[in-house]
Amino acid sequence: MNSPASLRERLYILVFQSDTTAGRRFDKALLLIILASLVVVILDSIDEVHQNYSGLLAAIEWGFTAIFLAEYLTRLYCSPKPLRYAFSFYGLVDLLAIVPGIIALYYSDAQYLLIIRVIRMLRIFRVLKLSPYLKQANYLMSALRGSKQKIIVFLVSVSTLVTVFGTLMYVVEGPEHGFTSIPKGIYWAIVTLTTVGFGDIVPKTPLGQVLSSLVMITGYSIIAVPTGIFTAELANAMRGEQLRHDCPNCHKGTHGHDAAFCSRCGHALFGKRD
Amino acid sequence: MNSPASLRERLYILVFQSDTTAGRRFDKALLLIILASLVVVILDSIDEVHQNYSGLLAAIEWGFTAIFLAEYLTRLYCSPKPLRYAFSFYGLVDLLAIVPGIIALYYSDAQYLLIIRVIRMLRIFRVLKLSPYLKQANYLMSALRGSKQKIIVFLVSVSTLVTVFGTLMYVVEGPEHGFTSIPKGIYWAIVTLTTVGFGDIVPKTPLGQVLSSLVMITGYSIIAVPTGIFTAELANAMRGEQLRHDCPNCHKGTHGHDAAFCSRCGHALFGKRD
Amino acid sequence: MNSPASLRERLYILVFQSDTTAGRRFDKALLLIILASLVVVILDSIDEVHQNYSGLLAAIEWGFTAIFLAEYLTRLYCSPKPLRYAFSFYGLVDLLAIVPGIIALYYSDAQYLLIIRVIRMLRIFRVLKLSPYLKQANYLMSALRGSKQKIIVFLVSVSTLVTVFGTLMYVVEGPEHGFTSIPKGIYWAIVTLTTVGFGDIVPKTPLGQVLSSLVMITGYSIIAVPTGIFTAELANAMRGEQLRHDCPNCHKGTHGHDAAFCSRCGHALFGKRD
Amino acid sequence: MNSPASLRERLYILVFQSDTTAGRRFDKALLLIILASLVVVILDSIDEVHQNYSGLLAAIEWGFTAIFLAEYLTRLYCSPKPLRYAFSFYGLVDLLAIVPGIIALYYSDAQYLLIIRVIRMLRIFRVLKLSPYLKQANYLMSALRGSKQKIIVFLVSVSTLVTVFGTLMYVVEGPEHGFTSIPKGIYWAIVTLTTVGFGDIVPKTPLGQVLSSLVMITGYSIIAVPTGIFTAELANAMRGEQLRHDCPNCHKGTHGHDAAFCSRCGHALFGKRD
């Protein structure tokens, strides 16, 4: 940083890195622009707004596309390995954020482009990374990673449950009460088990209502499972550490959190008191 | 308290402080009056009541406004720094609780005044403060404070999720199934992710129902995240009243809150014992 | 128990106590009869059943009333202090379980009697008390007792929240969208905050939907609070105990769960190792 | 495995065991076939698919039945104790997966066979058993087992609650608002207490709405109970792999799982060190 740097190198630091003040400011500005372009897309989807301001919004959208194009070309220019950037995840997302905007100049039916810009919002995590939020996010990630296997077991059980109950409800209630097929029954079972309960399909027969009650109480009870898994893992991640101290006698390196004596050789860990 | 005090000083202690019996009684009486005035406003919003008793209720409301005015003037009179009180949070709320009542004498369309009186109910925390509830509220607050950053990470992720899913549902289901705009889609995504599930907008297409199932299972699973965060922090806060001090000998970092010697190695925590 | 006992004494042990085999069997039989009488009441409430079997069900119900009357008189007879029993909680409930049955002989509109019999089901806890479930129920009760104050703070906050949001929704949405009064708004706020979401009243205006989203996300997040409170208390109740051991030097009686040395005088708690 | 084995023995290892590569591959292939047959059943339940492809789907279904029949006969052939297999849980399920398929050749109304094939999916746990998921599933199971009694206490309380509230709502709201019988009221109470909230039956009277609010807040609060129970047990199960053995000197009851000496007092855990 204290050696003279070419424009390309300074651009690289500004555009790609976020540990300088300028780089962080650049990332924040970019996020604001992405957010603004999303707001324009969202506003454009509202019928009244579209009918009155579609011209204005299209112009603004065009401006954002130009900005993103300029940004993309800058990234290509200053990147030490342009091809590697172009085919990286972020590179492809950056490209996909521009292409539909250009296509939309010729085909106005470009409402699908909006989804891609939302993906760009993932950059927000780059900004967060550089803040004290990193450590907290890490706790959460390590708790999630630690509970991955338990969550898979849980999801497999839930999938089996909704399949069984969805099929049973299809058989019991039948098409005349809205359970027109097994997939519909499974959809209903998910709606019910997760305690969402839209009410678009509801059981009408007594047996169906008994089965529903079973699904609901199951759903209400097993909500404890992911919560319990995650809480236990998070408490682990936050407390977690063992005492790292070499036993003076046998050199065992880790001990229980509160150990006074080595559990392998019985030697006092911190010198005899006399 | 054992020195002779002027009326103003005695009023000040009565009205502003709540550590004397009289002061606490004053606060409780005030809360009851606020509650009563809220009940009157609530009753007045019911159509049948309004048609039969609107005159009576208006009179009672007028009485409450008079009481609050008298209270406000007393506070101004006995406060050592009247201006500071007048522009403090509570001072402004106290004023706002009177003004609409006076305006309502001329313009009867004063139904909005009620919200402001609800804010006055915040005084209930002053009364609670003086009770054993304080310590418990503190535990809760410190757990919330400790999990603030994690909760922001969580809320950012949830916001991204509902935007992505709301947009997808708008594209997939379209206006003919109630998803008339992206904001409506986001509203639906929030209704579904939080497992509320009003059922005013529901997916009709198979793809929409598959996406909904995804949203519901996500919502059902990530309810674990705030719970886990909060539980782990609360357990910390409740255990946590520990002495944080490194043992000079073994570097154990936390000790019982009245510890003089390290419970692990027996070394004096604060200076050598001889 | 090994002394000869009069009929009255033996009846007392059978009817009031549940630590003998016979007493437990009596309690279980009573529970089954109460349950059967509840099932009869429930069946009688179904229209088709009522139209076809109302005579039969009334006769059975009459039989149950006779049994309960006999039981009540027995209790009065064998109780050492009949008046004390008659005015105790269980005594009044036992009486209330009979009276409506007798009244129903003259006035057939006795559908309200059923609620009272349900209260008798509370006896199930007497049976449970005598089983290994007691210890588990105790854990739950002590966790609930420990979190009582925190839960009151929580419920006060929730009440304030639903009042504020219910009023706001009444003002924003108005009677034309189903929010006909503030109490209705508060009812809607409770339905939404608890994530039940019936969908009988739903916001129609954009501002109302934004407010609703706020309520839902709040409700979804604060579900963590009671869970966190209860989990932390339960973990406390289950782990809970401190080391009870007199320090040989200073006689401090309780120590941290893993203490090797007294935290007050630094003396080794369990004798020197040599 | 290194001794020469007959075809029957090799088949046995392939079909019944899953600790060889081939056996595991066989189990996975079988799971895929079961899954495929389920997908066919599910697709056949969709009206449009049934009308256009019912012939094709029936043929495929017939093929799956043939495969399952061949598998069943192979299992019978290579099992050392064919009768014991035939009457075991898995043996009966395997048979039940074939029979309806054969009956369906004569009676086309065989939509109920699907449920039985779903039960075969339980084999997925045999595959999971052989993976690192086993340990995680064990944690979950031991947490569930540990909380069984608490959960029974909880379920008994919930049952009492929904009976009481269901009856009250039936009395208060009556048949004209959808509460046509007490069982319906109980069904509504379950829908509401579990925060599902279909909205097919909703309270209309003010008193009914007050009662509903009570049910909802109760449901919202007691969701903490199973979560708390499960979390505390799971944390126990995860920490818990500790050595349970009283130290002969200080009576510390739990130790690190490979401890030879007490970490609190340094005394040898199993016999004197000299």
Side-chain angles (χ1 to χ4, degrees), chain C residues 42 45 112 114 118 136 187 191 194-198 219 222-223 226-227 230-231 234 238 243 257-260 270 273, chain D residues 149-150 164 167 171 181-183 192 195-199 203 216 220 224-225 227-229 233 249-250 252 264 266 273:
Chain C
I42 289 175
S45 79
Y112 297 104
L114 41 95
V118 169
Q136 304 298 331
Y187 164 71
V191 169
T194 55
T195 78
V196 171
F198 281 136
I222 63 177
I223 211 170
T227 307
F230 186 73
T231 305
L234 188 63
M238 281 168 68
L243 171 66
H257 179 256
D258 262 307
F270 303 98
R273 205 178 59 102
Chain D
Q149 293 184 329
K150 287 201 206 69
V164 173
T167 307
V171 171
S181 64
I182 295 183
T192 306
T195 78
V196 172
F198 280 137
M216 288 179 251
Y220 188 67
V225 178
T227 307
I229 292 169
E233 289 289 344
N249 186 29
C250 73
K252 187 172 187 291
R264 186 157 68 191
R273 204 177 58 107

Side-chain angles (χ1 to χ4, degrees), chain A residues 21-73:
Chain A
T21 316
R24 210 179 300 175
R25 214 172 281 156
F26 176 82
D27 272 354
K28 279 181 187 164
L30 192 61
L31 270 180
L32 283 180
I33 295 172
I34 298 171
L35 207 66
S37 93
L38 284 175
V39 168
V40 168
V41 170
I42 287 174
L43 282 177
D44 198 36
S45 78
I46 303 170
D47 223 41
E48 301 99 80
V49 176
H50 183 76
Q51 271 157 7
N52 296 317
Y53 304 99
S54 73
L56 178 67
L57 289 176
I60 295 174
E61 199 54 63
W62 195 88
F64 283 132
T65 303
I67 292 172
F68 290 151
L69 182 62
E71 180 220 344
Y72 185 66
L73 295 177

Side-chain angles (χ1 to χ4, degrees), chain A residues 3-266:
Chain A
S3 66
S6 72
L7 175 71
R8 234 180 103 185
E9 277 166 341
R10 268 180 295 144
L11 264 177
Y12 175 75
I13 288 165
L14 180 72
V15 170
F16 277 96
Q17 296 186 347
S18 44
D19 38 14
T20 63
T21 316
R24 210 179 300 175
R25 214 172 281 156
F26 176 82
D27 272 354
K28 279 181 187 164
L30 192 61
L31 270 180
L32 283 180
I33 295 172
I34 298 171
L35 207 66
S37 93
L38 284 175
V39 168
V40 168
V41 170
I42 287 174
L43 282 177
D44 198 36
S45 78
I46 303 170
D47 223 41
E48 301 99 80
V49 176
H50 183 76
Q51 271 157 7
N52 296 317
Y53 304 99
S54 73
L56 178 67
L57 289 176
I60 295 174
E61 199 54 63
W62 195 88
F64 283 132
T65 303
I67 292 172
F68 290 151
L69 182 62
E71 180 220 344
Y72 185 66
L73 295 177
T74 311
R75 281 185 192 268
L76 275 184
Y77 165 70
C78 70
S79 173
K81 294 171 182 166
L83 273 177
R84 208 181 135 195
Y85 161 70
F87 289 100
S88 73
F89 173 71
Y90 278 121
L92 289 171
V93 168
D94 291 352
L95 186 62
L96 281 168
I98 307 160
V99 173
I102 294 167
I103 296 171
L105 293 177
Y106 304 97
Y107 306 91
S108 65
D109 190 32
Q111 67 185 147
Y112 298 103
L113 84 141
L114 39 96
I115 306 158
I116 293 143
R117 295 243 169 114
V118 168
I119 301 171
R120 287 207 82 190
M121 285 302 286
L122 280 172
R123 271 175 197 283
I124 207 167
F125 288 111
R126 280 194 58 208
V127 175
L128 285 177
K129 228 182 219 153
L130 305 158
S131 76
Y133 294 89
L134 175 61
K135 200 180 161 193
Q136 305 298 330
N138 268 359
Y139 277 147
L140 293 182
M141 291 315 291
S142 95
L144 281 177
R145 222 175 299 121
S147 48
K148 210 183 67 186
Q149 294 183 328
K150 285 200 207 69
I151 280 171
I152 288 173
V153 172
F154 174 71
L155 286 182
V156 166
S157 314
V158 165
S159 307
T160 310
L161 266 179
V162 295
T163 310
V164 172
F165 276 117
T167 308
L168 278 173
M169 289 302 286
Y170 167 67
V171 170
V172 167
E173 290 277 330
E176 64 271 27
H177 297 137
F179 294 81
T180 52
S181 64
I182 295 182
K184 204 105 181 185
I186 293 173
Y187 163 71
W188 174 87
I190 293 172
V191 169
T192 306
L193 193 85
T194 56
T195 77
V196 171
F198 280 137
D200 52 343
I201 314 171
V202 289
K204 296 273 166 41
T205 64
L207 182 55
Q209 294 179 342
V210 169
L211 274 173
S212 305
S213 302
L214 220 72
V215 177
M216 287 180 253
I217 288 176
T218 308
Y220 187 67
S221 302
I222 64 177
I223 212 171
V225 178
T227 308
I229 293 169
F230 186 75
T231 305
E233 289 288 345
L234 189 63
N236 249 6
M238 281 168 69
R239 175 165 28 84
E241 312 96 35
Q242 289 201 297
L243 171 65
R244 293 186 186 285
H245 178 85
D246 262 27
C247 171
N249 186 29
C250 75
H251 298 291
K252 185 172 188 289
T254 56
H255 304 272
H257 179 255
D258 262 307
F261 294 87
C262 177
S263 69
R264 187 158 67 192
C265 70

Side-chain angles (χ1 to χ4, degrees), chain B residues 74-273:
Chain B
T74 311
R75 280 184 193 269
L76 275 184
Y77 164 70
C78 70
S79 173
K81 294 171 183 168
L83 272 178
R84 208 179 135 197
Y85 161 70
F87 289 101
S88 72
F89 173 71
Y90 278 121
L92 289 171
V93 168
D94 290 353
L95 185 62
L96 281 168
I98 308 159
V99 172
I102 294 167
I103 296 171
L105 294 177
Y106 304 97
Y107 306 92
S108 66
D109 190 31
Q111 68 185 148
Y112 298 103
L113 83 142
L114 40 96
I115 306 159
I116 293 143
R117 296 244 169 112
V118 169
I119 301 172
R120 286 206 85 189
M121 284 302 285
L122 279 172
R123 271 175 197 282
I124 206 166
F125 287 111
R126 280 193 58 207
V127 174
L128 286 177
K129 227 182 220 153
L130 305 158
S131 76
Y133 295 89
L134 175 63
K135 200 179 161 195
Q136 304 298 331
N138 268 0
Y139 278 148
L140 292 181
M141 291 316 290
S142 95
L144 282 177
R145 223 175 298 120
S147 48
K148 210 183 67 185
Q149 293 184 328
K150 287 200 205 70
I151 280 172
I152 287 174
V153 172
F154 174 72
L155 286 181
V156 166
S157 314
V158 165
S159 307
T160 310
L161 267 178
V162 295
T163 310
V164 172
F165 276 117
T167 308
L168 278 172
M169 289 303 285
Y170 167 67
V171 170
V172 166
E173 290 278 329
E176 64 271 27
H177 296 138
F179 294 80
T180 52
S181 64
I182 295 183
K184 204 107 182 185
I186 293 173
Y187 163 70
W188 174 88
I190 293 172
V191 169
T192 306
L193 194 85
T194 56
T195 77
V196 171
F198 281 136
D200 53 342
I201 314 172
V202 289
K204 295 274 165 42
T205 64
L207 182 54
Q209 294 179 342
V210 168
L211 274 173
S212 304
S213 302
L214 221 72
V215 178
M216 287 180 252
I217 288 176
T218 307
Y220 188 67
S221 302
I222 63 177
I223 212 171
V225 177
T227 307
I229 292 168
F230 186 74
T231 305
E233 288 289 344
L234 188 63
N236 250 6
M238 281 167 68
R239 192 163 5 92
E241 272 194 334
Q242 286 196 299
L243 172 64
R244 292 188 186 284
H245 178 85
D246 262 28
C247 171
N249 185 31
C250 74
H251 300 290
K252 186 172 187 293
T254 56
H255 304 273
H257 95 282
D258 56 357
F261 294 87
C262 177
S263 71
R264 186 157 69 192
C265 69
H267 199 280
L269 286 173
F270 304 98
K272 277 231 170 55
R273 206 176 59 105

Side-chain angles (χ1 to χ4, degrees), chain D residues 69 71 134 141 189 232 238 240 245 260:
Chain D
L69 181 62
E71 180 220 344
L134 174 62
M141 292 314 291
M238 282 169 66
H245 177 84

Side-chain angles (χ1 to χ4, degrees), chain D residues 65-255:
Chain D
T65 304
I67 292 173
F68 290 151
L69 181 62
E71 180 220 344
Y72 185 67
L73 294 178
T74 310
R75 281 185 193 268
L76 274 184
Y77 165 69
C78 70
S79 173
K81 294 171 182 166
L83 273 177
R84 207 179 137 197
Y85 160 70
F87 288 101
S88 72
F89 173 70
Y90 277 121
L92 289 171
V93 167
D94 291 353
L95 185 63
L96 281 169
I98 307 160
V99 172
I102 293 167
I103 296 170
L105 293 177
Y106 303 97
Y107 306 92
S108 66
D109 190 31
Q111 68 186 143
Y112 298 104
L113 84 142
L114 40 96
I115 306 158
I116 292 143
R117 295 245 169 112
V118 168
I119 301 172
R120 287 207 83 191
M121 285 303 285
L122 279 172
R123 273 177 195 283
I124 207 167
F125 288 111
R126 279 194 58 208
V127 174
L128 285 177
K129 228 183 220 153
L130 305 159
S131 75
Y133 294 89
L134 174 62
K135 200 178 160 194
Q136 305 298 330
N138 268 0
Y139 278 148
L140 293 182
M141 292 314 291
S142 95
L144 281 178
R145 223 174 300 122
S147 48
K148 210 182 66 185
Q149 293 184 329
K150 287 201 206 69
I151 280 171
I152 288 174
V153 172
F154 174 71
L155 286 182
V156 166
S157 314
V158 165
S159 306
T160 310
L161 267 179
V162 295
T163 310
V164 173
F165 275 117
T167 307
L168 279 172
M169 289 303 285
Y170 167 68
V171 171
V172 168
E173 290 278 329
E176 64 272 25
H177 296 137
F179 293 81
T180 51
S181 64
I182 295 183
K184 204 105 181 185
I186 293 173
Y187 164 71
W188 174 88
I190 293 172
V191 169
T192 306
L193 194 86
T194 56
T195 78
V196 172
F198 280 137
D200 52 343
I201 313 171
V202 288
K204 295 273 166 38
T205 64
L207 181 55
Q209 294 179 343
V210 168
L211 273 173
S212 304
S213 302
L214 221 72
V215 178
M216 288 179 251
I217 289 177
T218 308
Y220 188 67
S221 301
I222 64 176
I223 211 170
V225 178
T227 307
I229 292 169
F230 186 75
T231 305
E233 289 289 344
L234 188 63
N236 250 6
M238 282 169 66
R239 191 164 5 91
E241 273 194 331
Q242 286 196 297
L243 172 65
R244 292 187 187 283
H245 177 84
D246 261 29
C247 170
N249 186 29
C250 73
H251 300 290
K252 187 172 187 291
T254 56
H255 304 272

